[in-house]
Amino acid sequence: MTTKRQMLKGMLAATVLPLGGFGAMAQQGDITIGATVPITGPLSLTGKQYHNALQMAEKDINAAGGINGRKIKIVFEDTQASNGTAVNAFMKLAQEVKSPFYFLSSYSTQNLAVSPEVKKVAAPVMYAGGADVIAEAGNEWMFRVRPADLVSARGMVEAAQLLKAKKPGIIFIQNDFGQGGAQVAAKQFEALGTPIVGMEAYGQTDKDFSAQIISLRGKGADVILLFNYPQDGALFLRQAKMLGLKLPLVTSSSALVPAVMQLISASDLENVWGVVDAHMDVSAGDRMKDFIDRYKKTFGIDPDPYGLAYYDGALIMAEGMRKVGLEPKALRDWLAALRNWQGIGHVYSFDEKGNGVFDLAVVKAKPGTKELELVKTIKIN
Amino acid sequence: MADFIQLLVNGLALGSVYALAAIGFVIVYSATGVVNFAAGQFVMFGTFAGVAMLSNLGLSLPVGYAAALIAMAGFGALFFAAVYMPLRNSPVATVIIGTVAVSIVMQNAALLGFGSWPFRLASPLDGITFDIAGAAITAHAAMVVVVTGVLVGLIWLLFYKTALGIGMRAVAQDTEAALLMGLNVNVLLVLSWVLAAVLAGIAGLLLGPMWFADVNMGDPIALKAFAATIIGGFGSLPGAIAGGLFVGLTELLGASYISSAYKDLIAFVVMILFLLVRPQGVFGERIQDRG
């Protein structure tokens, strides 16, 4: 009898003590937040930006009093350019750091790979991958802080219309992001009565795009839409100019980030239009100017919209934690109900699929410079 | 016609780079019986040697190129001493795994040294373009083809018309017999690695202005050069050249005239067919007794 009572006491202690321990831990010390970011590898061209931006957000949140007096500490894991590494990075953080909230990378293929694990961990995450299939999968824990590819593709199609395209062609990187965006754009052109003349693909490690460019030129394209990542985008713009391509190009946002600008010359941007998540110019307002100035001062490079999305996301997360605490479900529900939150880059409202951004900017390069000027802001309901 | 010429020249330029990397494979394989899976990273090191000399140290183009190639020669010798020599009496599979391991070390060393952001490497012929029957041919692409052609000629002369080259071939054919004949086998072996590294360096310097200098550039090059070597024939210089050009041309012409979505598939399907039907490749020696 005694043994049975002792055993019951032991079981009760084993069940309750960890909870009590977690509760005690949750009320003291830093709040650790996990972030999986491509810090190395070819995807780090943009990954570096949100690595920086999240560090800046951590500093700002803590300087403003943290989360009800407790500091946050963002713990980073490198996803490199591999989906497998991204999954391992997330699982490592989930097991070792046990955050109430996580940031995922901005690469759709990595977001898709990690999504099932996010469901198992059952904590809210913010991500910036654009692929529509991520949100369509209906993972209630995932919140997107960038425009979905559907929004970006519409912006690119609208840019092509501004360029009076009658025979658009599309070139895309062969992955979930590129294929998804290209198909959305093709359908939109079809609906507008200007079907595309051709669609060409390239691989992520490809270095020569002359075949794709020549093929579309041969089919009579008058505008080419390009769904790309940063490094291939830079190479594409250079090669298009070397081939003497006179057609206007409309690129997705990756080709116009500061990292790309370092690799190309002003002449490579001649006749190049594109969409960017947010027009990051000091003239856009005091908060934008403050962000740009401080980012440049801290990291010595220009910020990009990817980093800004994560900065805004971190501030949203901090506000949520201040209001509803660290319980993942409560935090998730607060995010799901968030409407019209005024960020620096966007006004965030999460829909039932976790999409939070519905606007972007069409820009073009100022002739002879690498400066981008705003053509039009697009908002999609 | 203009489009075809354009694709042909671009394909030849791309194929020339693959051919140079493939020749590196062949030289090392012929001399040592080892497939050097670090060959792609050798090319990447060549590009970054150029970045170090031209961008970081600010040397002029001729001095920078020469310094980069001297550095690559030193690297080849170091690789021989630090990787090949300790493993030379191990089974071939061990040596091959060793080269794979070293390639990972090389990539990470470049990452630590140069960071993950790409660099733009200047070409001596930057901005010069020829109009040939309506095709815009960059002078750099033309230079890549010409330089490769000249190098191939020089390598042929070295191997078939000089005592040094004949000695290297003798070591490749039968190391023990070469030793008994009084040849300094170690010197000839180190020269093979040095030559492979210098060729990779030239490929890297040619490649830098065409692509960006990027620490991840080695893997796709190695993959294509490996396919080129299989198709052309392991151990065969003409095979490496033909294979490299075939893969480069297939990549561009296949993308344009068949499907851009399946362009890599075409080259690799051809490679698999060769492995099944003619494993020694087009020009290759019989390889069943090689590791």
Side-chain angles (χ1 to χ4, degrees):
Chain A
M1 189 67 182
T2 311
T3 313
K4 198 180 262 184
R5 195 175 293 143
Q6 279 172 345
M7 194 176 77
L8 279 169
K9 274 183 182 172
M11 283 171 67
L12 189 66
T15 313
V16 172
L17 274 177
L19 291 175
F22 180 78
M25 275 173 62
Q27 286 166 17
Q28 53 188 269
D30 293 349
I31 299 166
T32 49
I33 307 296
T36 61
V37 177
I39 300 167
T40 61
L43 303 186
S44 66
L45 274 187
T46 48
K48 184 77 184 160
Q49 288 276 353
Y50 39 95
H51 188 211
N52 291 344
L54 283 175
Q55 291 176 70
M56 190 166 146
E58 177 191 85
K59 199 174 160 194
D60 290 352
I61 290 166
N62 289 336
I67 310 296
N68 303 326
R70 292 175 64 191
K71 287 185 173 176
I72 65 159
K73 180 175 169 51
I74 301 180
V75 179
F76 292 94
E77 277 295 324
D78 188 4
T79 65
Q80 299 173 7
S82 144
N83 293 352
T85 311
V87 173
N88 291 340
F90 178 73
M91 290 312 294
K92 186 180 177 205
L93 287 174
Q95 285 162 10
E96 292 180 4
V97 179
K98 295 184 174 59
S99 308
F101 182 96
Y102 298 87
F103 292 99
L104 304 183
S105 93
S106 76
Y107 288 92
S108 296
T109 55
Q110 296 189 338
N111 297 154
L112 282 166
V114 173
S115 177
E117 305 307 325
V118 171
K119 248 184 186 168
K120 286 182 207 161
V121 170
V125 302
M126 278 183 189
Y127 69 100
D132 296 302
V133 288
I134 305 170
E136 294 301 325
N139 186 338
E140 61 172 338
W141 297 99
M142 295 183 68
F143 294 89
R144 175 153 37 205
V145 284
R146 273 192 61 233
D149 287 347
L150 181 76
V151 179
S152 301
R154 281 195 194 173
M156 290 168 73
V157 170
E158 196 152 334
Q161 284 183 295
L162 292 170
L163 286 161
K164 303 191 189 324
K166 298 280 180 237
K167 293 179 171 180
I170 297 175
I171 298 180
F172 63 94
I173 187 164
Q174 210 163 16
N175 62 17
D176 292 304
F177 152 68
Q179 268 172 330
Q183 279 162 11
V184 168
K187 279 182 193 160
Q188 287 173 12
F189 277 124
E190 186 88 42
L192 292 166
T194 50
I196 57 165
V197 295
M199 199 187 271
E200 299 288 342
Y202 66 87
Q204 197 164 328
T205 56
D206 282 7
K207 302 292 184 189
D208 193 299
F209 310 103
S210 49
Q212 289 88 342
I213 295 170
I214 286 169
S215 173
L216 287 185
R217 188 170 64 183
K219 287 172 183 166
D222 55 5
V223 169
I224 292 178
L225 268 62
L226 173 64
F227 289 87
N228 59 280
Y229 280 170
Q231 198 170 332
D232 45 275
L235 205 50
F236 188 99
L237 294 180
R238 280 188 68 197
Q239 287 181 11
K241 282 292 160 290
M242 282 178 191
L243 288 170
L245 190 76
K246 303 289 181 204
L247 310 175
L249 283 167
V250 178
T251 76
S252 51
S253 54
S254 301
L256 300 174
V257 294
V260 169
M261 297 298 170
Q262 291 179 3
L263 296 170
I264 59 178
S265 57
S267 62
D268 297 328
L269 279 171
E270 200 181 315
N271 224 4
V272 172
W273 288 44
V275 293
V276 291
D277 296 355
H279 183 228
M280 295 193 65
D281 191 273
V282 290
S283 65
D286 289 345
R287 291 176 73 200
M288 181 70 91
K289 182 179 183 314
D290 173 64
F291 178 81
I292 293 171
D293 290 347
R294 286 195 302 121
Y295 186 100
K296 280 169 87 165
K297 195 177 168 190
T298 309
F299 304 106
I301 52 172
D302 289 323
D304 78 2
Y306 293 85
L308 180 57
Y310 282 89
Y311 181 86
D312 276 349
L315 296 194
I316 293 173
M317 172 205 73
E319 189 170 326
M321 287 179 171
R322 282 186 202 114
K323 286 189 172 163
V324 300
L326 302 180
E327 203 279 310
K329 179 70 167 67
L331 201 50
R332 190 222 83 86
D333 291 345
W334 182 85
L335 284 168
L338 188 72
R339 297 289 178 272
N340 298 321
W341 194 89
Q342 294 284 335
I344 299 172
H346 305 275
V347 177
Y348 296 81
S349 297
F350 291 105
D351 67 9
E352 69 283 1
K353 291 175 181 169
N355 290 307
V357 176
F358 302 90
D359 64 288
L360 49 72
V362 174
V363 293
K364 65 177 180 181
K366 277 185 190 169
T369 74
K370 290 199 256 182
E371 217 176 306
L372 300 175
E373 60 184 352
L374 184 66
V375 175
K376 190 178 181 183
T377 303
I378 294 174
K379 283 190 178 141
I380 292 166
N381 293 322
Chain B
M1 190 58 184
D3 288 349
F4 180 74
I5 294 171
Q6 184 85 66
L7 291 169
L8 197 67
V9 176
N10 281 23
L12 285 174
L14 196 61
S16 298
V17 174
Y18 296 153
L20 284 177
I23 291 170
F25 262 132
V26 168
I27 289 171
V28 168
Y29 176 77
S30 298
T32 64
V34 170
V35 179
N36 175 22
F37 281 101
Q41 309 307 347
F42 273 47
V43 176
M44 181 269 290
F45 259 35
T47 306
F48 276 97
V51 169
M53 303 304 169
L54 300 172
S55 303
N56 296 2
L57 295 180
L59 301 178
S60 64
L61 275 174
V63 178
Y65 280 176
L69 294 180
I70 290 168
M72 285 306 291
F75 171 72
L78 183 70
F79 194 94
F80 168 81
V83 180
Y84 178 73
M85 282 295 274
L87 292 173
R88 69 189 187 284
N89 293 323
S90 306
V92 172
T94 308
V95 184
I96 290 171
I97 291 166
T99 65
V100 173
V102 172
S103 83
I104 296 167
V105 171
M106 288 171 70
Q107 192 171 3
N108 283 287
L111 187 65
L112 285 172
F114 293 93
S116 56
W117 285 38
F119 293 81
R120 187 175 172 167
L121 197 61
S123 161
L125 304 175
D126 254 347
I128 304 172
T129 306
F130 306 116
D131 187 318
I132 300 174
I137 307 298
T138 63
H140 186 85
M143 182 181 76
V144 171
V145 178
V146 171
V147 168
T148 305
V150 170
L151 279 174
V152 167
L154 289 174
I155 291 167
W156 183 85
L157 283 175
L158 172 73
F159 277 120
Y160 293 93
K161 299 291 173 189
T162 69
L164 187 67
I166 291 166
M168 287 166 83
R169 286 169 55 219
V171 171
Q173 280 176 12
D174 192 330
T175 309
E176 284 180 9
L179 203 60
L180 290 171
M181 294 301 290
L183 292 176
N184 192 334
V185 170
N186 277 345
V187 168
L188 293 170
L189 283 175
V190 74
L191 281 177
S192 302
W193 284 99
V194 166
L195 186 58
V198 169
L199 281 175
I202 295 170
L205 292 173
L206 292 172
L207 208 54
M210 286 167 68
W211 305 356
F212 296 121
D214 164 20
V215 294
N216 303 294
M217 66 196 285
D219 291 335
I221 296 168
L223 208 59
K224 299 284 169 60
F226 188 67
T229 316
I230 294 279
I231 293 166
F234 257 107
S236 162
L237 278 178
I241 299 151
L245 296 180
F246 174 82
V247 172
L249 286 170
T250 305
E251 201 172 318
L252 291 204
L253 295 175
S256 189
Y257 296 114
I258 300 173
S259 164
S260 56
Y262 300 115
K263 65 182 174 46
D264 286 341
L265 194 68
I266 301 164
F268 287 114
V269 164
V270 173
M271 182 190 85
I272 291 166
L273 285 175
F274 266 96
L275 283 172
L276 291 172
V277 179
R278 191 180 161 81
Q280 71 269 37
V282 178
F283 298 94
E285 60 180 18
R286 288 195 184 94
I287 60 169
Q288 55 266 43
D289 58 342
R290 291 282 197 179

PDB file of all heavy atoms in Angstrom, chain A residues 84-95:
ATOM      1  N   GLY A  84      16.284  20.016 -46.294  1.00  0.00           N
ATOM      2  CA  GLY A  84      16.578  19.105 -45.189  1.00  0.00           C
ATOM      3  C   GLY A  84      17.231  19.850 -44.027  1.00  0.00           C
ATOM      4  O   GLY A  84      16.873  19.646 -42.860  1.00  0.00           O
ATOM      5  N   THR A  85      18.168  20.726 -44.354  1.00  0.00           N
ATOM      6  CA  THR A  85      18.840  21.498 -43.303  1.00  0.00           C
ATOM      7  C   THR A  85      17.843  22.423 -42.612  1.00  0.00           C
ATOM      8  O   THR A  85      17.909  22.638 -41.399  1.00  0.00           O
ATOM      9  CB  THR A  85      20.000  22.323 -43.915  1.00  0.00           C
ATOM     10  OG1 THR A  85      20.776  21.459 -44.728  1.00  0.00           O
ATOM     11  CG2 THR A  85      20.874  22.936 -42.842  1.00  0.00           C
ATOM     12  N   ALA A  86      16.904  22.964 -43.405  1.00  0.00           N
ATOM     13  CA  ALA A  86      15.893  23.859 -42.818  1.00  0.00           C
ATOM     14  C   ALA A  86      15.038  23.105 -41.801  1.00  0.00           C
ATOM     15  O   ALA A  86      14.740  23.618 -40.718  1.00  0.00           O
ATOM     16  CB  ALA A  86      15.021  24.447 -43.929  1.00  0.00           C
ATOM     17  N   VAL A  87      14.655  21.882 -42.161  1.00  0.00           N
ATOM     18  CA  VAL A  87      13.842  21.073 -41.242  1.00  0.00           C
ATOM     19  C   VAL A  87      14.654  20.763 -39.979  1.00  0.00           C
ATOM     20  O   VAL A  87      14.164  20.924 -38.854  1.00  0.00           O
ATOM     21  CB  VAL A  87      13.373  19.764 -41.929  1.00  0.00           C
ATOM     22  CG1 VAL A  87      12.684  18.843 -40.918  1.00  0.00           C
ATOM     23  CG2 VAL A  87      12.439  20.073 -43.079  1.00  0.00           C
ATOM     24  N   ASN A  88      15.905  20.356 -40.166  1.00  0.00           N
ATOM     25  CA  ASN A  88      16.749  20.040 -39.002  1.00  0.00           C
ATOM     26  C   ASN A  88      16.943  21.260 -38.107  1.00  0.00           C
ATOM     27  O   ASN A  88      16.924  21.149 -36.879  1.00  0.00           O
ATOM     28  CB  ASN A  88      18.119  19.533 -39.461  1.00  0.00           C
ATOM     29  CG  ASN A  88      18.011  18.171 -40.106  1.00  0.00           C
ATOM     30  OD1 ASN A  88      17.040  17.460 -39.887  1.00  0.00           O
ATOM     31  ND2 ASN A  88      18.993  17.801 -40.915  1.00  0.00           N
ATOM     32  N   ALA A  89      17.132  22.426 -38.749  1.00  0.00           N
ATOM     33  CA  ALA A  89      17.343  23.657 -37.982  1.00  0.00           C
ATOM     34  C   ALA A  89      16.115  23.958 -37.127  1.00  0.00           C
ATOM     35  O   ALA A  89      16.225  24.293 -35.942  1.00  0.00           O
ATOM     36  CB  ALA A  89      17.616  24.822 -38.935  1.00  0.00           C
ATOM     37  N   PHE A  90      14.943  23.808 -37.733  1.00  0.00           N
ATOM     38  CA  PHE A  90      13.708  24.089 -36.980  1.00  0.00           C
ATOM     39  C   PHE A  90      13.528  23.084 -35.841  1.00  0.00           C
ATOM     40  O   PHE A  90      13.199  23.455 -34.709  1.00  0.00           O
ATOM     41  CB  PHE A  90      12.498  24.055 -37.921  1.00  0.00           C
ATOM     42  CG  PHE A  90      11.193  24.295 -37.205  1.00  0.00           C
ATOM     43  CD1 PHE A  90      10.864  25.565 -36.751  1.00  0.00           C
ATOM     44  CD2 PHE A  90      10.312  23.250 -36.946  1.00  0.00           C
ATOM     45  CE1 PHE A  90       9.677  25.796 -36.058  1.00  0.00           C
ATOM     46  CE2 PHE A  90       9.125  23.470 -36.252  1.00  0.00           C
ATOM     47  CZ  PHE A  90       8.809  24.745 -35.813  1.00  0.00           C
ATOM     48  N   MET A  91      13.774  21.817 -36.137  1.00  0.00           N
ATOM     49  CA  MET A  91      13.589  20.780 -35.105  1.00  0.00           C
ATOM     50  C   MET A  91      14.582  20.986 -33.957  1.00  0.00           C
ATOM     51  O   MET A  91      14.249  20.767 -32.793  1.00  0.00           O
ATOM     52  CB  MET A  91      13.753  19.383 -35.715  1.00  0.00           C
ATOM     53  CG  MET A  91      12.626  18.987 -36.655  1.00  0.00           C
ATOM     54  SD  MET A  91      10.996  19.289 -35.966  1.00  0.00           S
ATOM     55  CE  MET A  91      10.993  18.122 -34.613  1.00  0.00           C
ATOM     56  N   LYS A  92      15.787  21.395 -34.317  1.00  0.00           N
ATOM     57  CA  LYS A  92      16.795  21.629 -33.273  1.00  0.00           C
ATOM     58  C   LYS A  92      16.315  22.739 -32.329  1.00  0.00           C
ATOM     59  O   LYS A  92      16.378  22.596 -31.103  1.00  0.00           O
ATOM     60  CB  LYS A  92      18.128  22.022 -33.930  1.00  0.00           C
ATOM     61  CG  LYS A  92      19.258  22.128 -32.922  1.00  0.00           C
ATOM     62  CD  LYS A  92      20.569  22.501 -33.557  1.00  0.00           C
ATOM     63  CE  LYS A  92      21.620  22.660 -32.453  1.00  0.00           C
ATOM     64  NZ  LYS A  92      22.694  23.516 -32.814  1.00  0.00           N
ATOM     65  N   LEU A  93      15.812  23.818 -32.909  1.00  0.00           N
ATOM     66  CA  LEU A  93      15.322  24.919 -32.071  1.00  0.00           C
ATOM     67  C   LEU A  93      14.107  24.475 -31.249  1.00  0.00           C
ATOM     68  O   LEU A  93      13.986  24.812 -30.069  1.00  0.00           O
ATOM     69  CB  LEU A  93      14.941  26.114 -32.962  1.00  0.00           C
ATOM     70  CG  LEU A  93      16.106  26.893 -33.564  1.00  0.00           C
ATOM     71  CD1 LEU A  93      15.591  27.944 -34.537  1.00  0.00           C
ATOM     72  CD2 LEU A  93      16.940  27.563 -32.477  1.00  0.00           C
ATOM     73  N   ALA A  94      13.230  23.707 -31.916  1.00  0.00           N
ATOM     74  CA  ALA A  94      12.014  23.268 -31.213  1.00  0.00           C
ATOM     75  C   ALA A  94      12.367  22.390 -30.021  1.00  0.00           C
ATOM     76  O   ALA A  94      11.706  22.450 -28.981  1.00  0.00           O
ATOM     77  CB  ALA A  94      11.103  22.524 -32.172  1.00  0.00           C
ATOM     78  N   GLN A  95      13.399  21.568 -30.162  1.00  0.00           N
ATOM     79  CA  GLN A  95      13.765  20.652 -29.081  1.00  0.00           C
ATOM     80  C   GLN A  95      14.639  21.321 -28.020  1.00  0.00           C
ATOM     81  O   GLN A  95      14.490  21.060 -26.835  1.00  0.00           O
ATOM     82  CB  GLN A  95      14.493  19.442 -29.659  1.00  0.00           C
ATOM     83  CG  GLN A  95      13.550  18.486 -30.362  1.00  0.00           C
ATOM     84  CD  GLN A  95      14.259  17.533 -31.308  1.00  0.00           C
ATOM     85  OE1 GLN A  95      15.482  17.451 -31.309  1.00  0.00           O
ATOM     86  NE2 GLN A  95      13.504  16.830 -32.121  1.00  0.00           N
TER      87      GLN A  95
END
